Amino acid sequence: MSHRVNDNPENMATDISRVASSRRYSENGLPYVHKVGVPPKTNLLKEITETVKETFFHDDPLRNFKDQSKSKKLLLGIQAVFPILEWGRSYNFSKFKGDLIAGLTIATLCIPQDIGYAKLANLDAQFGLYSSFVPPLVYAFMGSSRDIAIGPVAVVSLLLGSMLQQELDPVKQKHEYQRLAFTATFFAGVTQFVLGFFRLGFLIDFLSHAAIVGFMGGAAITISLQQLKGLLGIKKFTKKTDIVSVMKSVFAAAHHGWNWQTIVIGLSFLAFLLVAKFIGKKNKKYFWVPAIAPLISVILSTFFVFIFHAEKHDVQIVRHIDQGINPPSVNEIYFSGEYLTKGFRIGVIAGLIALTEAVAIGRTFAAMKDYSLDGNKEMVALGTMNIVGSMTSCYVATGSFSRSAVNYMAGCQTAVSNIVMSCVVLLTLELITPLFKYTPNAILASIIISAVIGLIDIDAMTLLYKIDKFDFVACMGAFLGVVFQSVEIGLLIAVAISFAKILLQVTRPRIVVLGKVPRTRVYRNMQQYPESTKVPGVLIVRVDSAIYFSNSNYMRDRILRWLTDEDEMLKETNQQKIQYLIVEMSPVTDIDTSGIHSLEDLYKSLQKRNVELVLANPGTMVIDKLHASGFADMIGEDKIFLTVADAVMTFAPKMEP
């Protein structure tokens, strides 16, 4: 049995003597070998409680409520829901100056983007502005990120637009289309809120980073292709999003559908926007240049169109944006009928994508500023703002990477920058929208292309290829699925490949042969350390995974195959036959009944071959279950060792230095 260390001086003395004895030789001439300790029995209810706690409450969210009065607990509870009440107490004018500058800066970026993104979702321009007014206000009170900037984003707008237009025509069935958009937004918010409230945020982690990189890159290509309609002045354009259909539509209109004035406006300002972006990227001091470039482009292009009456030369313009703040839309949401399930399906998908993007952005900037971000609180905040947004004529809003980056560079201190941005959008809705009448669609297309081009992360794709080829396959699968099929298909491929990777790793764990590293008592993977040597008569393998029903049979068969291959090789070279199989179990974090049955089958198969089964360093959960099942008694406790070196020293002592 193992010895346990406690504060008792006598026990400490005993432990010290045992450690010292490990350097002496026992009666049979072998060094003292430590045995693996068996943990005390745990209560079933306690074990279940701890598992649930680690799954859903690993961050111990209630720790601040311990030993507090009822009034203090109530205050802490309100602050947990509305973090602004906590950090707002230490808010000062110095912080406000930073938030004011940041808020004004991101407002100049968001206004032209919002108009363009609304078009991407096949909605009128004012809906984009609505979505940058109400949701940021709600988030500022409930969100825990200091840097994230809220509003419509290109990828979610495209996803929403492409899925909605499969159900309804955005032109012929305009009102029903808008109602379905509000319904999808409502259920997107419900999805996000439920995931956060029930602390199920870990579910979005199943969409791997590689899949997201590919999906975002493919979406950026698709969004850019969609903007060719506005950039070239094409009136009749395909509703499909795949590259083949889009390019056919573009070239079919080449002889009669392109407008050279529109092309000049679009390409000129696209070049201006890209140069501004390059300046901001090259020198961080000029971060404001790419931030204000879109608004400058809108002002200048609108002025030129108005002065030269370019709309009379078939240059397509925005024409009209409804003036005034968001009208209520509670009665517009489908709570029954055939569009309820369609809105629910679209909302869940859009909500998950929006949530994934927002949480990733929030965590990125939180790490840069070294503060903690509660993912579940973020989900509740995002869900609440989209639920409220759906009732105030908004469509799905989330964290925008481009705006958040500008917000960060502009020196934002708190979420008040979102409030400042929201106030500027409010003034725009009330006073300035008529001025956008002559804004050409080409400039909106240019702004969107310049904004989404950064989503194509070549460096990340290259890194994926270098590090993990399977991750690269997942990335390219999502990328090609979006580009050549649709956003939904690309998303489906991304999720499918992510799950396939998990299943492959779970069902086919890595099992390696270990050898002794020269001049040490350390045993490591022989592929990693080619100079390591095998111990005559002993095969040492390591299982690099928990052993569950999904991989237990593979584990048993793979080990037996190693043993068969080893015996055949030894027979050819007339070397000593394998007598001991040592299984290094350090990486085996857990084992279930199927795993134990497979170990029993392995033990029986080895007995028929006259090979002894030896285990090395099973963990707490594993050794407890091995004893509970009686397997430890079956192979004998003298066959369970603390280290591989101890096992080899016991059964092949002559090989030890």
Side-chain angles (χ1 to χ4, degrees), residues 513-533:
V513 173
L514 305 184
K516 184 174 179 294
V517 179
R519 297 179 297 279
T520 71
R521 298 181 73 243
V522 176
Y523 292 80
R524 291 291 182 265
N525 184 354
M526 295 191 69
Q527 288 185 335
Q528 185 178 1
Y529 298 93
E531 70 277 10
S532 58
T533 57

Side-chain angles (χ1 to χ4, degrees), residues 258-274:
W258 293 13
N259 180 273
W260 72 266
Q261 293 96 332
T262 301
I263 295 173
V264 169
I265 293 170
L267 292 182
S268 299
F269 282 101
L270 178 59
F272 168 68
L273 290 166
L274 292 177

Side-chain angles (χ1 to χ4, degrees), residues 427-439:
L427 292 174
T428 303
L429 284 166
E430 288 287 5
L431 305 173
I432 307 175
T433 49
L435 300 179
F436 290 112
K437 178 180 178 181
Y438 290 97
T439 300

Side-chain angles (χ1 to χ4, degrees), residues 441-459:
N441 289 341
I443 196 64
L444 300 178
S446 300
I447 290 170
I448 292 173
I449 292 172
S450 66
V452 302
I453 200 167
L455 295 176
I456 307 172
D457 198 339
I458 302 297
D459 292 337

Side-chain angles (χ1 to χ4, degrees), residues 19 37 72 78 81 85 89 123 142 246-247 297 314 320 333 338 343 347 374 391 416 599:
V19 171
K72 183 66 174 177
I78 296 173
V81 178
L85 298 177
R89 290 181 297 176
L123 293 167
M142 299 186 67
V246 170
M247 295 314 294
S297 301
D314 288 333
H320 176 73
I333 300 172
E338 61 175 316
D374 189 327
M391 299 177 181
V416 171
L599 284 179

Side-chain angles (χ1 to χ4, degrees), residues 102 105-106 109 287 290-291 365 401-411:
T105 307
I106 57 176
L109 176 63
F287 69 90
F365 288 104
F401 186 80
S402 59
R403 291 183 216 173
S404 299
V406 170
N407 197 29
Y408 172 82
M409 295 297 295

